[in-house]
Amino acid sequence: MALAGSETMYPDGHGETFILRAVRIGAVVALYWFVSITMVFLNNYLLDNRELDAPLFVTFYQCLVTVGLCWLMQLLSKVCPGLIDFPSVKFDLKTSREVLPLSIVFISMITFNNLCLKHVGVAFYTVGRSLSTVFNVLLSYIILKQTTSLQAIMCCGVILGGFWLGVDQEGMTGTLSWTGVFFGVVASACVSLNAIFTKKVMPAVDGNIWKLSYYNNINACVLFLPLILLFGELGSLASFSRSSDLKFWGMMTLGGVFGFAIGYVTGLQIKFTSPLTHNVSGTAKACAQTVIAVVYNSSSKSLLWWTSNMLVLGGSSAYTWVKSLEMKKTPQRVPPDSAKEKLLPGEKGNLGV
């Protein structure tokens, strides 16, 4: 890509004017916000369908769409190699078995994520799913024997305080779903486990996040089938009156497309900014998402309810800042560019926070 003249544009900003670079970064951040927020509201719409109580099938279908898009991207990368860069993946049973432990955690994560969103709605979703950082610290210590600094633990304490205050305030409004809170806590634990297992299985897919997504979603599609049977969702599907409605299937497919796209835009935002900026952007996006949900539903929330959200978001931002400072003090074994590439997965699963 070239500018007018001979200046070349690079992702890190070399050879670009400040204004052009700022516009580029702004466009990437805006794209991330649009895809992530739209995906959450779209999933909430699909899961809140009273005619079809089949959250496992909705999640299964989105995984199926992701697999189809991986195949499509492989095809397009061969037809337009200069425009689309996507790894060529041939299904290998041995690799699939190596990824299987992660896939079990993965389907747990996206299932409980969706169940949380189904029961608590978008407005309380940020608080309901806020304990991922806390579980990340706890599980890293239990599984990986990694210790955490006092400052980071204090940030987790702020998040916990915001979570409990949010639950209390939601209960006072009479809209609290303890089922949704339970699913949110389990989903938060699964998000942390997903990150840990991802690091373990990445060598099996040559460190490529798209290969991992391909195998993960194929395994998920297979694992979801017996679960759909076990939980009796076939009966709901059989009695669903809109099974031949093209608009319904279009929305279902769109949900899968956005689930696939979130991985791309997350990587794009990290590439053109930094992992720290991505986390800050994600926190700000969660705040905007909550405000949009409250305004859209014409809800009236108390000052303490908003305080709980600010505590959760503030604690998460502070934790990100503390960890970034700690990483700067620790000598890195990989070059900065390689480190960025390792972080490209960003958010996991088909549902962003």
Side-chain angles (χ1 to χ4, degrees):
M1 226 185 298
L3 290 168
S6 60
E7 279 189 307
T8 303
M9 297 191 295
Y10 298 95
D12 59 2
H14 294 300
E16 288 184 309
T17 64
F18 172 79
I19 294 177
L20 184 58
R21 186 184 179 200
V23 170
R24 175 187 289 268
I25 291 173
V28 168
V29 171
L31 180 63
Y32 167 77
W33 278 42
F34 170 75
V35 171
S36 184
I37 292 175
T38 303
M39 183 179 64
V40 171
F41 277 91
L42 184 57
N43 274 287
N44 180 246
Y45 167 79
L46 292 170
L47 294 162
D48 200 34
N49 191 328
R50 296 181 180 180
E51 295 181 49
L52 179 64
D53 185 19
L56 291 176
F57 174 75
V58 172
T59 312
F60 159 78
Y61 185 82
Q62 292 181 347
C63 290
L64 197 63
V65 170
T66 298
V67 173
L69 287 171
C70 284
W71 286 337
L72 178 62
M73 293 297 287
Q74 286 185 69
L75 177 63
L76 291 176
S77 67
K78 293 177 182 177
V79 176
C80 311
L83 184 64
I84 297 174
D85 182 22
F86 199 89
S88 178
V89 184
K90 291 183 179 179
F91 184 78
D92 179 70
L93 191 60
K94 180 177 178 293
T95 304
S96 179
R97 285 198 302 267
E98 291 177 348
V99 176
L100 185 59
L102 171 64
S103 300
I104 294 171
V105 175
F106 173 72
I107 67 168
S108 301
M109 178 186 72
I110 57 178
T111 299
F112 286 116
N113 231 342
N114 281 353
L115 288 171
C116 173
L117 186 59
K118 176 182 174 67
H119 286 86
V120 304
V122 179
F124 188 67
Y125 179 65
T126 299
V127 173
R129 272 275 288 99
S130 62
L131 298 185
S132 298
T133 301
V134 177
F135 278 112
N136 188 48
V137 170
L138 182 62
L139 294 175
S140 293
Y141 177 75
I142 294 173
I143 298 174
L144 303 177
K145 307 302 179 186
Q146 293 179 351
T147 57
T148 305
S149 66
L150 178 61
Q151 292 90 336
I153 292 175
M154 289 173 65
C155 294
C156 290
V158 173
I159 295 171
L160 275 170
F163 173 78
W164 285 116
L165 180 60
V167 169
D168 176 70
Q169 290 300 302
E170 192 74 4
M172 291 183 68
T173 63
T175 59
L176 178 67
S177 167
W178 281 107
T179 303
V181 171
F182 170 75
F183 287 141
V185 172
V186 177
S188 298
C190 290
V191 168
S192 300
L193 283 172
N194 188 77
I196 292 171
F197 276 84
T198 296
K199 291 178 182 179
K200 290 186 176 183
V201 304
M202 280 299 272
V205 291
D206 304 318
N208 191 291
I209 190 58
W210 291 116
K211 285 185 179 180
L212 182 62
S213 178
Y214 174 76
Y215 279 104
N216 227 356
N217 282 277
I218 285 182
N219 286 348
C221 287
V222 175
L223 292 170
F224 267 124
L225 291 175
L227 291 175
I228 290 171
L229 289 170
L230 181 64
F231 285 91
E233 291 193 357
L234 281 182
S236 298
L237 292 169
S239 60
F240 184 48
S241 60
R242 296 174 57 195
S243 57
S244 58
D245 187 351
L246 291 179
K247 180 183 176 181
F248 168 75
W249 288 109
M251 295 293 283
M252 287 278 285
T253 303
L254 191 61
V257 171
F258 272 89
F260 177 84
I262 190 64
Y264 174 75
V265 296
T266 296
L268 200 64
Q269 180 167 249
I270 293 172
K271 181 178 181 181
F272 282 93
T273 58
S274 69
L276 175 60
T277 304
H278 164 69
N279 287 327
V280 173
S281 174
T283 301
K285 186 274 304 181
C287 182
Q289 179 178 287
T290 301
V291 172
I292 292 170
V294 171
V295 173
Y296 178 78
N297 294 317
S298 302
S299 304
S300 178
K301 302 296 184 182
S302 68
L303 178 61
L304 284 177
W305 190 92
W306 286 109
T307 301
S308 71
N309 278 266
M310 291 303 103
L311 285 173
V312 164
L313 296 172
S316 300
S317 297
Y319 178 85
T320 299
W321 180 68
V322 167
K323 295 302 288 185
S324 68
L325 290 180
E326 291 175 358
M327 287 179 66
K328 286 179 181 178
K329 292 178 182 178
T330 305
Q332 300 296 310
R333 295 183 180 180
V334 291
D337 290 342
S338 299
K340 268 190 181 182
E341 293 300 320
K342 292 292 182 184
L343 287 164
L344 287 185
E347 295 174 29
K348 301 293 178 190
N350 290 29
L351 192 67
V353 176

